[in-house]
Amino acid sequence: MTEIQELSQFLTLDMRLDVKAVALQQTLGLTGTTDGRHLLINTPCIVKNLCQLLSDSQISIAKDASLALINLSADEEIVPALLAEATNIVEHMLKIISNPEHNLADPACMVLSNLTRTKLGSEKVFQSMEGNLDKYVDIFCQEKYNKKGARLHYLASVLSNLSQLPAVRSYILDPSRSCLQRLVSFTDYKDSISRRGAILGLIKNCCFETDHHEFLLSDAVDLLPKLLIPLAGPEEFDEEDNDKLPIDLQYLGEEKTREPDPDIRKMLLEALTQLCATKFGREYLRSKNTYVILRELHKWEKNENNLVVLEHLVNILIRFEHEIGHDNLKEVEVPDEIIEKFNALEPAL
């Protein structure tokens, strides 16, 4: 029996506390190195035992077990082994997240966030949800769902990562569900940059589905104001310009501030750019006076990468449709440099 196999025997719920604590500290130390993680993942029962320790009555033991699982799941090389059926790691995490009385819902979200960065992990998690993504959207949208103080912000990253799968985008964009309508309200969520950033990632991925642009811009979802409000500042417009803007963007007031994070501003601009892939999207954005919000943003924006995306977007909006000449820019041959710009934004795992 190897030392690691011997170690795994001490990682059980019924093991004496002092012995279990020492074994867990050694295990946690091993998760900090590549060699250590590979040693652990190749030892039967280690991951399964760590999952069981999440229910340990001693909270310090349960927390250390969760840290070990976070470290293991962050190593993409060993994710396939982590997802092996014998570990049941995904099912364990989903059960913890669903339990409003569990102390470790936030670490469980982090583990799933790590696992879903890979296509295999996303497919496994979505499969384990058994077609009931609504349940987890519902949990995410209830800010006080967890009674032990877990905020579940990393559940946003899980949902965002899952949205890179076509099947998940189809689910979210199904008009008979209310998934997207509930999630778009977090684009301007002030209390967590990870929550609003991840949900914007999900929205951006959905914007690649050109067949759904009319739904995204319809009153049912009302996506455009949700994307423009974080980009709008305190600037005042004349009455004519104001009247053309969506109601939510009229008379924002001198205290209005823009999204402070440059990466999130870039995602907002990229989502708007994707909506311009269709003639319907372009004409809708023009009709809602999107240009004036982008014009003022251009005066304010200092980030060079964002300025490139912004100028590309403005260039599309100020052109006449007869100059563009196509309903859907994704269905025509376009110059290589434009293809590269769109491909750089594609959802990818």
Side-chain angles (χ1 to χ4, degrees):
M1 182 183 291
T2 66
E3 288 183 20
I4 302 294
Q5 287 172 326
E6 191 175 343
L7 190 64
S8 71
Q9 293 183 321
F10 303 128
L11 299 173
T12 60
L13 289 170
D14 55 1
M15 181 56 60
R16 209 174 74 206
L17 178 59
D18 57 338
V19 175
K20 182 166 43 181
V22 171
L24 191 50
Q25 280 301 310
Q26 289 181 317
T27 303
L28 188 53
L30 287 168
T31 65
T33 67
T34 302
D35 289 343
R37 289 191 293 272
H38 282 264
L39 274 173
L40 291 170
I41 203 65
N42 290 320
T43 304
C45 293
I46 283 280
V47 174
K48 189 175 181 180
N49 288 358
L50 286 172
C51 286
Q52 289 176 346
L53 288 180
L54 296 174
S55 301
D56 199 280
S57 57
Q58 187 71 25
I59 189 62
S60 60
I61 294 291
K63 279 188 176 178
D64 281 349
S66 73
L67 290 174
L69 289 169
I70 290 169
N71 289 348
L72 287 169
S73 61
D75 188 336
E76 289 192 15
E77 284 187 24
I78 65 172
V79 164
L82 271 177
L83 293 170
E85 283 188 26
T87 69
N88 286 328
I89 186 170
V90 172
E91 290 77 8
H92 274 289
M93 299 307 121
L94 290 174
K95 189 175 180 181
I96 289 171
I97 292 166
S98 302
N99 181 356
E101 299 293 335
H102 209 292
N103 285 299
L104 297 173
D106 277 338
C109 289
M110 291 178 196
V111 170
L112 289 188
S113 175
N114 286 340
L115 292 175
T116 52
R117 287 187 301 181
T118 68
K119 183 180 180 185
L120 180 66
S122 282
E123 289 172 342
K124 173 66 176 172
V125 171
F126 187 49
Q127 178 189 350
S128 298
M129 288 178 171
E130 299 177 336
N132 194 8
L133 188 64
D134 287 283
K135 172 183 175 180
Y136 299 94
V137 170
D138 188 50
I139 289 171
F140 174 76
C141 291
Q142 294 181 58
E143 292 188 62
K144 294 183 179 178
Y145 175 83
N146 186 278
K147 309 307 180 202
K148 300 295 184 180
R151 301 299 304 278
L152 305 179
H153 293 326
Y154 277 89
L155 188 51
S157 299
V158 177
L159 296 172
S160 182
N161 291 342
L162 289 176
S163 74
Q164 296 171 87
L165 297 176
V168 174
R169 293 200 297 278
S170 294
Y171 187 105
I172 291 169
L173 287 164
D174 183 345
S176 69
R177 305 182 190 277
S178 60
C179 277
L180 194 59
Q181 292 93 316
R182 301 182 70 192
L183 293 172
V184 294
S185 62
F186 291 96
T187 57
D188 202 27
Y189 184 79
K190 302 297 185 190
D191 291 346
S192 169
I193 187 172
S194 60
R195 185 176 277 242
R196 70 178 185 274
I199 291 304
L200 275 165
L202 177 148
I203 290 168
K204 187 183 85 170
N205 287 344
C206 288
C207 289
F208 282 89
E209 302 295 331
T210 53
D211 289 346
H212 290 83
H213 279 187
E214 291 191 35
F215 172 61
L216 288 167
L217 294 169
S218 69
D219 290 341
V221 180
D222 201 24
L223 182 58
L224 184 59
K226 309 295 193 305
L227 297 177
L228 289 179
I229 286 173
L231 297 174
E235 296 84 10
E236 293 182 7
F237 301 107
D238 62 34
E239 193 171 334
E240 183 181 354
D241 273 336
N242 252 322
D243 288 346
K244 292 178 185 174
L245 286 167
I247 290 174
D248 292 348
L249 279 105
Q250 295 178 13
Y251 307 104
L252 291 175
E254 59 186 22
E255 267 124 49
K256 175 67 175 72
T257 58
R258 291 183 170 87
E259 165 59 53
D261 185 83
D263 292 331
I264 292 182
R265 292 199 303 277
K266 187 165 181 272
M267 277 195 284
L268 289 159
L269 292 168
E270 288 169 345
L272 290 165
T273 301
Q274 288 309 312
L275 291 172
C276 287
T278 57
K279 182 179 180 181
F280 175 86
R282 294 189 295 274
E283 291 185 334
Y284 187 85
L285 265 64
R286 291 187 192 114
S287 73
K288 296 299 180 180
N289 215 9
T290 300
Y291 170 73
V292 298
I293 300 295
L294 300 179
R295 181 191 68 202
E296 297 307 313
L297 175 64
H298 190 270
K299 297 174 186 176
W300 175 91
E301 182 64 68
K302 299 294 187 291
N303 183 283
E304 289 186 14
N305 291 330
N306 288 358
L307 284 169
V308 170
V309 180
L310 177 55
E311 287 164 8
H312 173 57
L313 172 58
V314 169
N315 185 45
I316 294 172
L317 288 176
I318 63 175
R319 293 170 70 189
F320 294 108
E321 281 303 316
H322 71 265
E323 295 177 298
I324 296 173
H326 299 280
D327 281 0
N328 191 333
L329 296 179
K330 294 193 174 186
E331 294 176 353
V332 297
E333 291 186 17
V334 293
D336 288 343
E337 65 270 17
I338 302 297
I339 291 175
E340 286 172 13
K341 285 179 181 177
F342 271 91
N343 286 347
L345 309 178
E346 287 285 0
L349 279 165

